[in-house]
Amino acid sequence: MYKLKINTKITFLALLFSLNIQAQTVKVAAASNLRFVLDEIKEKYEMAHPKAKIIINLGASGALVQQIANGADFDLFMAADKMFPEKLKAQGIVSGKVQTYAFGKLVIWSNTIDLSKGLNCVANSDVKRIAIAKPEIAPYGKRAIECLKYYKLFDKVKTKIVYADNIAQTAQFAQTGNAEIGFLALSLAMAPEMKGTYFVLDTKSYKPVEQAMVLIKSWQKNPEAAKFVKFVLSNQCKPIFEKYGFLVP
């Protein structure tokens, strides 16, 4: 009887310890254009909260939606388009409030082509391939197509387009020469490792990129995730978003 009580107590304490560790880990599913922003936010948050651990999984927003809908173990979804968390909310898959955290901008980027004349350069004969993220799953890819159609350039260049799985892979295509030009989020084009030039496209040519997030699980199940959301929306993180070209509401 005594031995059973001890074993039960040990098991209970182990369970409490496990729950405590889990509660301090926040698993974030995030749009690829947040790579550098979240690197800095994560570092700042973990310095202020030494017991917390932020785990970031990057991908195209549409692909992340599918993972979440299929039961992927995430606490927070930070999308590149508000429609994606709202879609999950409408389906009853998430429990939190959908909150806008920033507005992004679309650019063209190259390390080989002179972009000073703007978007018309995509039609130049020396541009053989143009990298764009898959529009059906990546918001910045969708905005790129909208932009090309707005300026009546899509039909002229559609045979040049190579589609990437997400905006980060789009940048990789352009960096490595698999495409002379890439349509990127400004937040990626401004990263230190992007050794090239970019041209900011007029926001009138595409639908606003309203980036929003939502807690996937109720905050009671992981209060650390709710604390992290509050931190992301705080004035402490505003300069980080602005550093990478975002507009913060």
Side-chain angles (χ1 to χ4, degrees):
M1 178 70 72
Y2 181 69
K3 185 177 180 180
L4 178 61
K5 285 183 178 179
I6 291 177
N7 288 341
T8 302
K9 186 176 181 180
I10 290 172
T11 302
F12 178 70
L13 289 173
L15 178 61
L16 281 179
F17 179 76
S18 173
L19 289 173
N20 186 50
I21 294 297
Q22 185 179 10
Q24 293 178 336
T25 298
V26 181
K27 298 175 183 177
V28 183
S32 295
N33 74 308
L34 294 172
R35 175 186 166 191
F36 300 102
V37 173
L38 283 181
D39 280 348
E40 293 195 24
I41 290 177
K42 166 186 162 75
E43 182 180 2
K44 197 167 186 177
Y45 187 83
E46 290 181 345
M47 283 182 66
H49 304 84
K51 294 182 179 180
K53 184 173 179 58
I54 310 299
I55 299 173
I56 299 167
N57 184 78
L58 298 170
S61 295
L64 292 172
V65 163
Q66 285 300 115
Q67 292 178 36
I68 294 166
N70 290 331
D73 185 22
F74 295 118
D75 300 294
L76 175 64
F77 178 36
M78 297 183 69
D81 193 322
K82 191 176 183 180
M83 63 169 282
F84 288 110
E86 285 184 337
K87 179 180 178 181
L88 292 174
K89 183 75 174 177
Q91 294 174 355
I93 295 171
V94 299
S95 61
K97 175 184 177 183
V98 176
Q99 300 182 82
T100 299
Y101 59 86
F103 288 85
K105 292 182 180 180
L106 181 69
V107 305
I108 49 174
W109 183 95
S110 180
N111 56 14
T112 58
I113 302 294
D114 178 11
L115 303 179
S116 60
K117 294 183 180 179
L119 187 62
N120 285 326
C121 67
V122 298
N124 292 352
S125 59
D126 54 344
V127 175
K128 307 298 182 185
R129 292 177 297 276
I130 301 165
I132 293 177
K134 291 177 180 176
E136 63 272 20
I137 59 173
Y140 281 90
K142 184 177 181 181
R143 301 306 191 277
I145 300 299
E146 290 173 2
C147 180
L148 287 169
K149 289 182 176 179
Y150 179 89
Y151 289 108
K152 296 179 171 48
L153 288 167
F154 180 73
D155 288 336
K156 294 180 181 179
V157 303
K158 61 184 179 182
T159 57
K160 299 181 180 183
I161 297 174
V162 290
Y163 290 102
D165 289 335
N166 52 58
I167 200 71
Q169 189 180 65
T170 307
Q172 184 183 25
F173 283 178
Q175 275 184 302
T176 57
N178 288 311
E180 287 82 15
I181 291 176
F183 278 79
L184 307 182
L186 177 58
S187 57
L188 290 182
M190 293 181 70
E193 69 178 46
M194 297 296 287
K195 308 297 183 184
T197 59
Y198 63 85
F199 181 90
V200 180
L201 299 164
D202 196 325
T203 54
K204 72 181 181 183
S205 66
Y206 57 90
K207 182 181 175 182
V209 188
E210 183 175 359
Q211 303 201 191
M213 61 184 170
V214 66
L215 280 169
I216 297 167
K217 305 168 186 174
S218 64
W219 70 267
Q220 292 96 334
K221 290 184 179 179
N222 192 343
E224 196 69 48
K227 285 169 61 179
F228 183 67
V229 166
K230 188 175 180 181
F231 181 75
V232 170
L233 295 173
S234 74
N235 288 332
Q236 295 181 69
C237 291
K238 184 176 180 180
I240 301 175
F241 280 106
E242 291 176 340
K243 174 183 174 181
Y244 289 98
F246 286 100
L247 295 175
V248 180

